[in-house]
Every structure is written in C-alpha cells, then in structure tokens.
Amino acid sequence: MVEDATAPIENVAELQLGKEFQDIHILSNAQVAVILQASAGYAVSRDEELNDVYRKVQRYVNRFTSMTNPEKEHQEVVDELDNLQDALTAFRKETEDGDEQELHPAEVAALMNLVATDTMVEEAVALIPSLSRFPEAAIDEILDIIRSTIIRIVS
Amino acid sequence: MFYVKTLSHEIVLEPVHFGQKLRATLVRLLKEQVEGLALANYGYVVNVIEVPEDQIKSGVIEYDTGSVIFTVQYTALLLRPFIHEVLDAVVSQCNPLGFFAFVGPLRIFVSKHSMPEDMFNGFDGEKDAWISDDKEVVIASGSGVRLKIKGRTVEQGNITAIGTIKDNYLGLIDDGEAQGTV
C-alpha cells in the first residue's frame, strides 16, 4: 500500500508527523542503544533468545552513534546524553513577536543523531529544514551545546 | 526515527496456561508475538519495553474454543521511517538500478535517479559498487550513507522505504572497513 500523496501529508521537514504521532516520545540512536543494552542483559539473564529485528537494530545503533566512548564509564555517557537531551528540550528562543520558540522532539532526536563536532549551521539546516525558523545565531548556539557534549563524551 | 508509544494487542490464551504464572505467560507470549513485527502504520516493533500490570484487564472467554482473549496494553520501542527525515544507513547490495541500504530491519532503496549527477552512470558491475565520475566516492556493500526518506511502502510484513542521496550533505559517510561485517 503506497502512501497516498494527497492524504494529510506527513512531512517531518515541516514537523507534521501525522495525527497519531502527536504525543510520542522520540529517541535518538544513542538512547536506543542504552535501552537495548539494558533489555539484552535482562533477556540473557532469563536465557531468552534475542530476536532478529532486535539484533539488527542493536548493530545499527552501535555503529551510528557519534556519542559513545567505550573507554568511559557507561553511566557517565548515559548521564551526558540525558543532560544533552534536557538541554535541547529546554532550549528556548524569543522571537521578535515575543513568542518563545522551542525545539520539537523530532528535531532534538535528529540533532542528536546527525550532528558531529564539525557540523556548521548550513549543514544542520540542510539536514533538518524545520530549523530554518530559528535565527542563525540560535542554531549556532544549539550546535555548540551538542558539540561540547560530544567533546566531553569522546575525550 | 525511533520512538516509544503505547499500543494494545489481543492475546488468545488456552486454559492450559491458567494458573499462578498467568501474567508472566501473557507477557512472554506478547513479546513473542509482537517483537519484530512490522505494523503498517507504526513501523517495526523493536522491543517491548514495559507491560504495566494494571493494564492487563480481565480476559473474555471465547465460547467456541474455551480460550480466553486478553487485551494487553504495552509500551513499545518502534522504528518508523518518516517522510523527509534524514537517516544514516548501511549499504547492503548494489545493482544497476540503484542500491539497497538498511536501518536495522528497515530496507531503503535509493534509485540511480536519486543519486547526484556525477554518479548516475557510475555502476561498476565487477566491484558491485556505485562510483562517482571522479572516482572519489565509492558506495559499496558495507558503506555508511546518509540519505533522506522520500516514500514508504508496506508489503508482506516488511517495510521498504525509498530514499535519495541527491541533496546537499547526503551520501557516503564511511566505507565500512573499520566496522567489520554488518
């Protein structure tokens, strides 16, 4: 069943996720890695086999997380990631009208997944078009927050 | 994108399972039936995170079979491709029409029409790879690519997405050599 292009269009670039996805909790790859690790330990302790989909996802998140450091204490990395997510979710910018803009959970997850230490504003906006509603200085601030967390985790 | 949502599922329990371990059996059966499943609208169920005890309501006896139907609510970790989202994926297979890449269990096809101009004719049958005109970019099995989701179909319990690497900042990330087999 192919998605009907004329149906209420889902377009994450404009932060339209579809009506069933309004209140979901979105996770970044790094957070998924943490959940799966905990769940794997639990399953192994009960001698259960991990299913195929599970193992594929675990391989995927372990490969594509820029925010990991095998030499660091696991809990330390988890705390840094939680702090980063809190910082991004709490990020507020006042617009000219006096309204406050904040980051949508989809943007927070995308930022945590895609941004590296050398990502510039132009690239971030190309990858996450909905960020264009923020002024450049604000986006730079956001990237800075992420950059410093990555550096802290990786060093 | 990975997300967490509360879903509900019906489990049919035969009388042989009744007894002290009823709840545990329900949870086990739920996990067996639901984990790994591709739900049409919600995506792949990667993991059942929690089955709140108070969400397992009383079951209804089916008079024909004597089994009991329980409707169980659970929190699940799901993976679903959203249109226009940018994802990193691992290339699995190249063919003359494009290449297949995977995000965990999710298969994404990138056609040669969704590749940059300098890669359009770059399929190398011998190396089984897509190579750019200047030979700088080689996309082969095991490479990591950053792509954007353009569309999605669900067929036979599997979700396939259509992707593109034509836009700026998309395309090859790494050649996968440091990663070992995927």
Side-chain angles (χ1 to χ4, degrees):
Chain A
M1 177 190 68
V2 181
E3 283 295 316
D4 186 351
T6 56
I9 296 180
E10 156 201 317
N11 184 347
V12 83
E14 292 171 15
L15 296 179
Q16 283 165 8
L17 297 180
K19 59 175 169 20
E20 289 171 2
F21 301 96
Q22 293 312 315
D23 295 321
I24 55 177
H25 187 58
I26 302 182
L27 301 176
S28 67
N29 291 347
Q31 290 165 309
V32 171
V34 167
I35 292 187
L36 291 187
Q37 214 165 3
S39 197
Y42 183 62
V44 160
S45 70
R46 299 169 84 208
D47 221 12
E48 285 170 5
E49 230 185 67
L50 298 173
N51 76 56
D52 197 35
V53 162
Y54 185 102
R55 275 182 284 123
K56 284 181 181 168
V57 173
Q58 202 170 25
R59 256 192 309 234
Y60 171 79
V61 292
N62 287 335
R63 172 166 177 172
F64 284 120
T65 173
S66 59
M67 308 194 189
T68 189
N69 187 347
E71 292 167 29
K72 258 213 162 66
E73 199 41 72
H74 178 66
Q75 190 56 41
E76 213 181 317
V77 178
V78 168
D79 289 340
E80 284 283 0
L81 293 173
D82 282 343
N83 289 341
L84 175 60
Q85 189 178 36
D86 289 340
L88 290 175
T89 317
F91 184 83
R92 298 279 183 274
K93 215 61 196 171
E94 267 209 30
T95 65
E96 293 152 358
D97 314 325
D99 290 328
E100 276 199 339
Q101 280 178 332
E102 54 180 21
L103 285 170
H104 187 278
E107 291 173 324
V108 174
L111 282 165
M112 286 179 73
N113 287 342
L114 301 173
V115 167
T117 42
D118 56 358
T119 307
M120 290 293 124
V121 173
E122 195 189 329
E123 184 177 351
V125 175
L127 297 176
I128 312 171
S130 52
L131 283 181
S132 54
R133 69 179 188 284
F134 287 98
E136 210 175 294
I139 303 180
D140 214 12
E141 233 181 285
I142 296 172
L143 291 178
D144 238 349
I145 300 176
I146 303 177
R147 222 172 280 143
S148 32
T149 305
I150 298 182
I151 294 176
R152 265 202 309 273
I153 293 182
V154 166
S155 61
Chain B
M1 191 173 321
F2 291 100
Y3 67 99
V4 172
K5 190 169 170 46
T6 308
L7 299 171
S8 92
H9 183 70
E10 275 189 4
I11 300 186
V12 179
L13 211 57
E14 287 161 7
V16 69
H17 296 294
F18 297 171
Q20 286 182 337
K21 292 193 181 165
L22 186 70
R23 276 216 169 87
T25 309
L26 270 181
V27 173
R28 181 176 54 85
L29 282 177
L30 173 71
K31 288 191 172 201
E32 278 173 26
Q33 289 177 15
V34 144
E35 275 182 357
L37 212 57
L39 303 176
N41 196 25
Y42 297 115
Y44 281 98
V45 179
V46 174
N47 191 28
V48 170
I49 299 180
E50 201 196 352
V51 186
E53 281 223 344
D54 57 351
Q55 291 297 329
I56 306 180
K57 305 267 184 340
S58 311
V60 176
I61 302 180
E62 210 180 27
Y63 286 118
D64 292 332
T65 58
S67 300
V68 177
I69 303 183
F70 287 91
T71 307
V72 183
Q73 294 218 320
Y74 60 102
T75 2
L77 172 66
L78 296 132
L79 168 63
R80 180 189 194 266
F82 285 87
I83 313 280
H84 290 151
E85 80 167 302
V86 175
L87 288 172
D88 294 338
V90 182
V91 177
S92 69
Q93 189 190 34
C94 296
N95 62 54
L97 296 172
F99 64 84
F100 283 101
F102 279 86
V103 172
L106 173 67
R107 192 173 69 159
I108 306 172
F109 179 66
V110 178
S111 109
K112 62 185 204 173
H113 298 279
S114 303
M115 297 190 203
E117 306 274 321
D118 66 344
M119 289 197 69
F120 188 77
N121 295 311
F123 179 64
D124 187 332
E126 279 170 36
K127 294 200 196 133
D128 232 356
W130 281 88
I131 306 179
S132 63
D133 287 341
D134 56 11
K135 310 281 184 247
E136 292 281 308
V137 176
V138 177
I139 296 185
S141 172
S143 310
V145 289
R146 184 161 282 184
L147 47 82
K148 182 188 286 195
I149 305 284
K150 300 296 277 184
R152 176 183 65 231
T153 76
V154 181
E155 54 190 25
Q156 290 182 327
N158 280 314
I159 306 182
T160 303
I162 311 292
T164 177
I165 55 169
K166 209 168 187 177
D167 298 341
N168 286 331
Y169 301 108
L170 299 179
L172 188 69
I173 309 173
D174 62 58
D175 58 13
E177 276 182 11
Q179 308 291 338
T181 49
V182 176

PDB file of all heavy atoms in Angstrom, chain B residues 149-179:
ATOM      1  N   ILE B 149      14.535  10.128   3.424  1.00  0.00           N
ATOM      2  CA  ILE B 149      13.402   9.264   3.078  1.00  0.00           C
ATOM      3  C   ILE B 149      12.419  10.050   2.218  1.00  0.00           C
ATOM      4  O   ILE B 149      12.005  11.153   2.580  1.00  0.00           O
ATOM      5  CB  ILE B 149      12.672   8.788   4.350  1.00  0.00           C
ATOM      6  CG1 ILE B 149      13.637   8.106   5.309  1.00  0.00           C
ATOM      7  CG2 ILE B 149      11.507   7.881   3.984  1.00  0.00           C
ATOM      8  CD1 ILE B 149      14.045   6.727   4.924  1.00  0.00           C
ATOM      9  N   LYS B 150      12.033   9.476   1.068  1.00  0.00           N
ATOM     10  CA  LYS B 150      11.072  10.146   0.212  1.00  0.00           C
ATOM     11  C   LYS B 150       9.714   9.474   0.231  1.00  0.00           C
ATOM     12  O   LYS B 150       8.697  10.089  -0.058  1.00  0.00           O
ATOM     13  CB  LYS B 150      11.571  10.153  -1.252  1.00  0.00           C
ATOM     14  CG  LYS B 150      12.878  10.851  -1.453  1.00  0.00           C
ATOM     15  CD  LYS B 150      12.803  12.314  -1.135  1.00  0.00           C
ATOM     16  CE  LYS B 150      12.273  13.126  -2.290  1.00  0.00           C
ATOM     17  NZ  LYS B 150      12.291  14.570  -1.975  1.00  0.00           N
ATOM     18  N   GLY B 151       9.700   8.167   0.521  1.00  0.00           N
ATOM     19  CA  GLY B 151       8.429   7.460   0.477  1.00  0.00           C
ATOM     20  C   GLY B 151       8.548   6.145   1.211  1.00  0.00           C
ATOM     21  O   GLY B 151       9.628   5.745   1.652  1.00  0.00           O
ATOM     22  N   ARG B 152       7.414   5.464   1.337  1.00  0.00           N
ATOM     23  CA  ARG B 152       7.384   4.264   2.167  1.00  0.00           C
ATOM     24  C   ARG B 152       6.303   3.317   1.673  1.00  0.00           C
ATOM     25  O   ARG B 152       5.217   3.763   1.293  1.00  0.00           O
ATOM     26  CB  ARG B 152       7.072   4.733   3.599  1.00  0.00           C
ATOM     27  CG  ARG B 152       6.888   3.659   4.623  1.00  0.00           C
ATOM     28  CD  ARG B 152       6.518   4.296   5.964  1.00  0.00           C
ATOM     29  NE  ARG B 152       5.244   4.957   5.905  1.00  0.00           N
ATOM     30  CZ  ARG B 152       5.029   6.209   6.305  1.00  0.00           C
ATOM     31  NH1 ARG B 152       6.016   6.929   6.767  1.00  0.00           N
ATOM     32  NH2 ARG B 152       3.837   6.734   6.231  1.00  0.00           N
ATOM     33  N   THR B 153       6.577   2.006   1.620  1.00  0.00           N
ATOM     34  CA  THR B 153       5.516   1.029   1.324  1.00  0.00           C
ATOM     35  C   THR B 153       5.615  -0.119   2.316  1.00  0.00           C
ATOM     36  O   THR B 153       6.680  -0.410   2.847  1.00  0.00           O
ATOM     37  CB  THR B 153       5.637   0.440  -0.096  1.00  0.00           C
ATOM     38  OG1 THR B 153       6.694  -0.520  -0.095  1.00  0.00           O
ATOM     39  CG2 THR B 153       5.938   1.496  -1.131  1.00  0.00           C
ATOM     40  N   VAL B 154       4.486  -0.771   2.551  1.00  0.00           N
ATOM     41  CA  VAL B 154       4.470  -1.921   3.444  1.00  0.00           C
ATOM     42  C   VAL B 154       3.985  -3.110   2.646  1.00  0.00           C
ATOM     43  O   VAL B 154       2.953  -3.053   2.000  1.00  0.00           O
ATOM     44  CB  VAL B 154       3.499  -1.719   4.626  1.00  0.00           C
ATOM     45  CG1 VAL B 154       3.540  -2.924   5.544  1.00  0.00           C
ATOM     46  CG2 VAL B 154       3.856  -0.467   5.375  1.00  0.00           C
ATOM     47  N   GLU B 155       4.743  -4.190   2.626  1.00  0.00           N
ATOM     48  CA  GLU B 155       4.304  -5.362   1.881  1.00  0.00           C
ATOM     49  C   GLU B 155       4.764  -6.604   2.614  1.00  0.00           C
ATOM     50  O   GLU B 155       5.903  -6.718   3.019  1.00  0.00           O
ATOM     51  CB  GLU B 155       4.906  -5.330   0.477  1.00  0.00           C
ATOM     52  CG  GLU B 155       6.402  -5.178   0.540  1.00  0.00           C
ATOM     53  CD  GLU B 155       7.052  -4.892  -0.799  1.00  0.00           C
ATOM     54  OE1 GLU B 155       6.378  -4.347  -1.680  1.00  0.00           O
ATOM     55  OE2 GLU B 155       8.225  -5.222  -0.939  1.00  0.00           O
ATOM     56  N   GLN B 156       3.849  -7.577   2.742  1.00  0.00           N
ATOM     57  CA  GLN B 156       4.185  -8.870   3.329  1.00  0.00           C
ATOM     58  C   GLN B 156       4.941  -8.768   4.639  1.00  0.00           C
ATOM     59  O   GLN B 156       5.915  -9.472   4.844  1.00  0.00           O
ATOM     60  CB  GLN B 156       5.043  -9.688   2.360  1.00  0.00           C
ATOM     61  CG  GLN B 156       4.270 -10.153   1.153  1.00  0.00           C
ATOM     62  CD  GLN B 156       5.143 -10.999   0.253  1.00  0.00           C
ATOM     63  OE1 GLN B 156       6.339 -10.768   0.159  1.00  0.00           O
ATOM     64  NE2 GLN B 156       4.545 -11.972  -0.394  1.00  0.00           N
ATOM     65  N   GLY B 157       4.496  -7.877   5.475  1.00  0.00           N
ATOM     66  CA  GLY B 157       5.123  -7.811   6.791  1.00  0.00           C
ATOM     67  C   GLY B 157       6.480  -7.154   6.814  1.00  0.00           C
ATOM     68  O   GLY B 157       7.190  -7.238   7.815  1.00  0.00           O
ATOM     69  N   ASN B 158       6.866  -6.518   5.716  1.00  0.00           N
ATOM     70  CA  ASN B 158       8.124  -5.787   5.713  1.00  0.00           C
ATOM     71  C   ASN B 158       7.896  -4.366   5.241  1.00  0.00           C
ATOM     72  O   ASN B 158       7.069  -4.119   4.376  1.00  0.00           O
ATOM     73  CB  ASN B 158       9.135  -6.445   4.755  1.00  0.00           C
ATOM     74  CG  ASN B 158       9.778  -7.640   5.399  1.00  0.00           C
ATOM     75  OD1 ASN B 158      10.191  -7.575   6.540  1.00  0.00           O
ATOM     76  ND2 ASN B 158       9.830  -8.730   4.672  1.00  0.00           N
ATOM     77  N   ILE B 159       8.668  -3.460   5.793  1.00  0.00           N
ATOM     78  CA  ILE B 159       8.533  -2.069   5.389  1.00  0.00           C
ATOM     79  C   ILE B 159       9.725  -1.705   4.518  1.00  0.00           C
ATOM     80  O   ILE B 159      10.875  -1.964   4.879  1.00  0.00           O
ATOM     81  CB  ILE B 159       8.496  -1.136   6.611  1.00  0.00           C
ATOM     82  CG1 ILE B 159       7.404  -1.587   7.568  1.00  0.00           C
ATOM     83  CG2 ILE B 159       8.254   0.297   6.169  1.00  0.00           C
ATOM     84  CD1 ILE B 159       7.265  -0.709   8.779  1.00  0.00           C
ATOM     85  N   THR B 160       9.439  -1.160   3.351  1.00  0.00           N
ATOM     86  CA  THR B 160      10.515  -0.698   2.478  1.00  0.00           C
ATOM     87  C   THR B 160      10.339   0.788   2.255  1.00  0.00           C
ATOM     88  O   THR B 160       9.236   1.263   2.022  1.00  0.00           O
ATOM     89  CB  THR B 160      10.448  -1.412   1.111  1.00  0.00           C
ATOM     90  OG1 THR B 160      10.509  -2.809   1.333  1.00  0.00           O
ATOM     91  CG2 THR B 160      11.624  -1.000   0.241  1.00  0.00           C
ATOM     92  N   ALA B 161      11.429   1.508   2.320  1.00  0.00           N
ATOM     93  CA  ALA B 161      11.343   2.950   2.090  1.00  0.00           C
ATOM     94  C   ALA B 161      12.130   3.302   0.829  1.00  0.00           C
ATOM     95  O   ALA B 161      12.992   2.550   0.382  1.00  0.00           O
ATOM     96  CB  ALA B 161      11.898   3.714   3.286  1.00  0.00           C
ATOM     97  N   ILE B 162      11.779   4.443   0.255  1.00  0.00           N
ATOM     98  CA  ILE B 162      12.517   4.954  -0.895  1.00  0.00           C
ATOM     99  C   ILE B 162      13.319   6.132  -0.410  1.00  0.00           C
ATOM    100  O   ILE B 162      12.804   6.996   0.311  1.00  0.00           O
ATOM    101  CB  ILE B 162      11.537   5.446  -1.983  1.00  0.00           C
ATOM    102  CG1 ILE B 162      10.478   4.390  -2.238  1.00  0.00           C
ATOM    103  CG2 ILE B 162      12.284   5.816  -3.249  1.00  0.00           C
ATOM    104  CD1 ILE B 162      10.983   3.154  -2.888  1.00  0.00           C
ATOM    105  N   GLY B 163      14.590   6.189  -0.797  1.00  0.00           N
ATOM    106  CA  GLY B 163      15.438   7.260  -0.310  1.00  0.00           C
ATOM    107  C   GLY B 163      16.156   7.975  -1.431  1.00  0.00           C
ATOM    108  O   GLY B 163      16.124   7.551  -2.586  1.00  0.00           O
ATOM    109  N   THR B 164      16.802   9.085  -1.075  1.00  0.00           N
ATOM    110  CA  THR B 164      17.587   9.836  -2.034  1.00  0.00           C
ATOM    111  C   THR B 164      18.884  10.296  -1.387  1.00  0.00           C
ATOM    112  O   THR B 164      18.937  10.514  -0.172  1.00  0.00           O
ATOM    113  CB  THR B 164      16.802  11.067  -2.545  1.00  0.00           C
ATOM    114  OG1 THR B 164      17.643  11.807  -3.422  1.00  0.00           O
ATOM    115  CG2 THR B 164      16.386  11.972  -1.408  1.00  0.00           C
ATOM    116  N   ILE B 165      19.954  10.391  -2.222  1.00  0.00           N
ATOM    117  CA  ILE B 165      21.189  10.982  -1.697  1.00  0.00           C
ATOM    118  C   ILE B 165      21.573  12.175  -2.551  1.00  0.00           C
ATOM    119  O   ILE B 165      22.712  12.623  -2.560  1.00  0.00           O
ATOM    120  CB  ILE B 165      22.370   9.975  -1.662  1.00  0.00           C
ATOM    121  CG1 ILE B 165      22.607   9.359  -3.047  1.00  0.00           C
ATOM    122  CG2 ILE B 165      22.125   8.896  -0.644  1.00  0.00           C
ATOM    123  CD1 ILE B 165      23.912   8.567  -3.110  1.00  0.00           C
ATOM    124  N   LYS B 166      20.554  12.707  -3.280  1.00  0.00           N
ATOM    125  CA  LYS B 166      20.870  13.757  -4.239  1.00  0.00           C
ATOM    126  C   LYS B 166      21.097  15.110  -3.597  1.00  0.00           C
ATOM    127  O   LYS B 166      21.799  15.947  -4.133  1.00  0.00           O
ATOM    128  CB  LYS B 166      19.724  13.867  -5.251  1.00  0.00           C
ATOM    129  CG  LYS B 166      20.152  14.350  -6.599  1.00  0.00           C
ATOM    130  CD  LYS B 166      19.032  14.151  -7.608  1.00  0.00           C
ATOM    131  CE  LYS B 166      19.530  14.474  -9.004  1.00  0.00           C
ATOM    132  NZ  LYS B 166      18.530  14.242 -10.026  1.00  0.00           N
ATOM    133  N   ASP B 167      20.509  15.350  -2.440  1.00  0.00           N
ATOM    134  CA  ASP B 167      20.589  16.688  -1.837  1.00  0.00           C
ATOM    135  C   ASP B 167      21.950  16.942  -1.194  1.00  0.00           C
ATOM    136  O   ASP B 167      22.735  16.027  -0.982  1.00  0.00           O
ATOM    137  CB  ASP B 167      19.483  16.865  -0.785  1.00  0.00           C
ATOM    138  CG  ASP B 167      18.110  16.761  -1.412  1.00  0.00           C
ATOM    139  OD1 ASP B 167      18.014  16.912  -2.643  1.00  0.00           O
ATOM    140  OD2 ASP B 167      17.142  16.525  -0.657  1.00  0.00           O
ATOM    141  N   ASN B 168      22.153  18.209  -0.824  1.00  0.00           N
ATOM    142  CA  ASN B 168      23.409  18.579  -0.169  1.00  0.00           C
ATOM    143  C   ASN B 168      23.598  17.850   1.146  1.00  0.00           C
ATOM    144  O   ASN B 168      22.660  17.615   1.882  1.00  0.00           O
ATOM    145  CB  ASN B 168      23.408  20.088   0.117  1.00  0.00           C
ATOM    146  CG  ASN B 168      23.615  20.879  -1.137  1.00  0.00           C
ATOM    147  OD1 ASN B 168      24.253  20.407  -2.066  1.00  0.00           O
ATOM    148  ND2 ASN B 168      23.061  22.075  -1.160  1.00  0.00           N
ATOM    149  N   TYR B 169      24.840  17.525   1.438  1.00  0.00           N
ATOM    150  CA  TYR B 169      25.225  16.906   2.709  1.00  0.00           C
ATOM    151  C   TYR B 169      24.719  15.476   2.855  1.00  0.00           C
ATOM    152  O   TYR B 169      24.789  14.889   3.920  1.00  0.00           O
ATOM    153  CB  TYR B 169      24.758  17.743   3.918  1.00  0.00           C
ATOM    154  CG  TYR B 169      25.308  19.133   3.906  1.00  0.00           C
ATOM    155  CD1 TYR B 169      24.491  20.214   3.623  1.00  0.00           C
ATOM    156  CD2 TYR B 169      26.655  19.365   4.151  1.00  0.00           C
ATOM    157  CE1 TYR B 169      25.010  21.497   3.589  1.00  0.00           C
ATOM    158  CE2 TYR B 169      27.178  20.634   4.127  1.00  0.00           C
ATOM    159  CZ  TYR B 169      26.349  21.708   3.842  1.00  0.00           C
ATOM    160  OH  TYR B 169      26.855  22.972   3.813  1.00  0.00           O
ATOM    161  N   LEU B 170      24.199  14.896   1.742  1.00  0.00           N
ATOM    162  CA  LEU B 170      23.802  13.491   1.817  1.00  0.00           C
ATOM    163  C   LEU B 170      24.842  12.665   1.080  1.00  0.00           C
ATOM    164  O   LEU B 170      25.633  13.187   0.309  1.00  0.00           O
ATOM    165  CB  LEU B 170      22.434  13.287   1.162  1.00  0.00           C
ATOM    166  CG  LEU B 170      21.260  14.047   1.782  1.00  0.00           C
ATOM    167  CD1 LEU B 170      19.986  13.765   1.012  1.00  0.00           C
ATOM    168  CD2 LEU B 170      21.085  13.664   3.240  1.00  0.00           C
ATOM    169  N   GLY B 171      24.799  11.361   1.265  1.00  0.00           N
ATOM    170  CA  GLY B 171      25.717  10.487   0.533  1.00  0.00           C
ATOM    171  C   GLY B 171      26.661   9.737   1.453  1.00  0.00           C
ATOM    172  O   GLY B 171      26.389   9.537   2.628  1.00  0.00           O
ATOM    173  N   LEU B 172      27.783   9.324   0.894  1.00  0.00           N
ATOM    174  CA  LEU B 172      28.720   8.462   1.588  1.00  0.00           C
ATOM    175  C   LEU B 172      29.242   9.081   2.882  1.00  0.00           C
ATOM    176  O   LEU B 172      29.627  10.230   2.917  1.00  0.00           O
ATOM    177  CB  LEU B 172      29.898   8.162   0.653  1.00  0.00           C
ATOM    178  CG  LEU B 172      30.911   7.124   1.127  1.00  0.00           C
ATOM    179  CD1 LEU B 172      30.264   5.751   1.134  1.00  0.00           C
ATOM    180  CD2 LEU B 172      32.116   7.129   0.187  1.00  0.00           C
ATOM    181  N   ILE B 173      29.217   8.252   3.952  1.00  0.00           N
ATOM    182  CA  ILE B 173      29.784   8.705   5.225  1.00  0.00           C
ATOM    183  C   ILE B 173      31.108   8.005   5.474  1.00  0.00           C
ATOM    184  O   ILE B 173      32.113   8.610   5.765  1.00  0.00           O
ATOM    185  CB  ILE B 173      28.866   8.352   6.416  1.00  0.00           C
ATOM    186  CG1 ILE B 173      27.454   8.806   6.187  1.00  0.00           C
ATOM    187  CG2 ILE B 173      29.414   8.927   7.689  1.00  0.00           C
ATOM    188  CD1 ILE B 173      26.535   8.326   7.269  1.00  0.00           C
ATOM    189  N   ASP B 174      31.060   6.672   5.426  1.00  0.00           N
ATOM    190  CA  ASP B 174      32.295   5.909   5.624  1.00  0.00           C
ATOM    191  C   ASP B 174      32.240   4.686   4.752  1.00  0.00           C
ATOM    192  O   ASP B 174      31.192   4.291   4.256  1.00  0.00           O
ATOM    193  CB  ASP B 174      32.476   5.533   7.102  1.00  0.00           C
ATOM    194  CG  ASP B 174      31.350   4.651   7.615  1.00  0.00           C
ATOM    195  OD1 ASP B 174      31.131   3.562   7.044  1.00  0.00           O
ATOM    196  OD2 ASP B 174      30.695   5.027   8.592  1.00  0.00           O
ATOM    197  N   ASP B 175      33.416   4.065   4.566  1.00  0.00           N
ATOM    198  CA  ASP B 175      33.444   2.929   3.658  1.00  0.00           C
ATOM    199  C   ASP B 175      33.246   1.616   4.368  1.00  0.00           C
ATOM    200  O   ASP B 175      33.343   0.563   3.775  1.00  0.00           O
ATOM    201  CB  ASP B 175      34.748   2.908   2.857  1.00  0.00           C
ATOM    202  CG  ASP B 175      35.959   2.859   3.799  1.00  0.00           C
ATOM    203  OD1 ASP B 175      35.779   2.607   4.989  1.00  0.00           O
ATOM    204  OD2 ASP B 175      37.070   3.100   3.319  1.00  0.00           O
ATOM    205  N   GLY B 176      32.961   1.699   5.669  1.00  0.00           N
ATOM    206  CA  GLY B 176      32.595   0.471   6.369  1.00  0.00           C
ATOM    207  C   GLY B 176      33.745  -0.443   6.691  1.00  0.00           C
ATOM    208  O   GLY B 176      33.564  -1.471   7.313  1.00  0.00           O
ATOM    209  N   GLU B 177      34.958  -0.090   6.316  1.00  0.00           N
ATOM    210  CA  GLU B 177      36.047  -1.024   6.557  1.00  0.00           C
ATOM    211  C   GLU B 177      36.386  -1.172   8.008  1.00  0.00           C
ATOM    212  O   GLU B 177      36.780  -2.217   8.479  1.00  0.00           O
ATOM    213  CB  GLU B 177      37.299  -0.579   5.784  1.00  0.00           C
ATOM    214  CG  GLU B 177      37.252  -1.069   4.360  1.00  0.00           C
ATOM    215  CD  GLU B 177      38.503  -0.691   3.598  1.00  0.00           C
ATOM    216  OE1 GLU B 177      39.468  -0.245   4.239  1.00  0.00           O
ATOM    217  OE2 GLU B 177      38.494  -0.856   2.386  1.00  0.00           O
ATOM    218  N   ALA B 178      36.197  -0.064   8.731  1.00  0.00           N
ATOM    219  CA  ALA B 178      36.569  -0.123  10.149  1.00  0.00           C
ATOM    220  C   ALA B 178      35.542  -0.883  10.968  1.00  0.00           C
ATOM    221  O   ALA B 178      35.733  -1.147  12.133  1.00  0.00           O
ATOM    222  CB  ALA B 178      36.712   1.293  10.685  1.00  0.00           C
ATOM    223  N   GLN B 179      34.405  -1.200  10.335  1.00  0.00           N
ATOM    224  CA  GLN B 179      33.295  -1.734  11.119  1.00  0.00           C
ATOM    225  C   GLN B 179      33.257  -3.249  11.142  1.00  0.00           C
ATOM    226  O   GLN B 179      32.604  -3.859  11.935  1.00  0.00           O
ATOM    227  CB  GLN B 179      31.954  -1.243  10.524  1.00  0.00           C
ATOM    228  CG  GLN B 179      31.906   0.237  10.332  1.00  0.00           C
ATOM    229  CD  GLN B 179      31.871   0.965  11.640  1.00  0.00           C
ATOM    230  OE1 GLN B 179      31.496   0.411  12.648  1.00  0.00           O
ATOM    231  NE2 GLN B 179      32.324   2.199  11.637  1.00  0.00           N
TER     232      GLN B 179
END
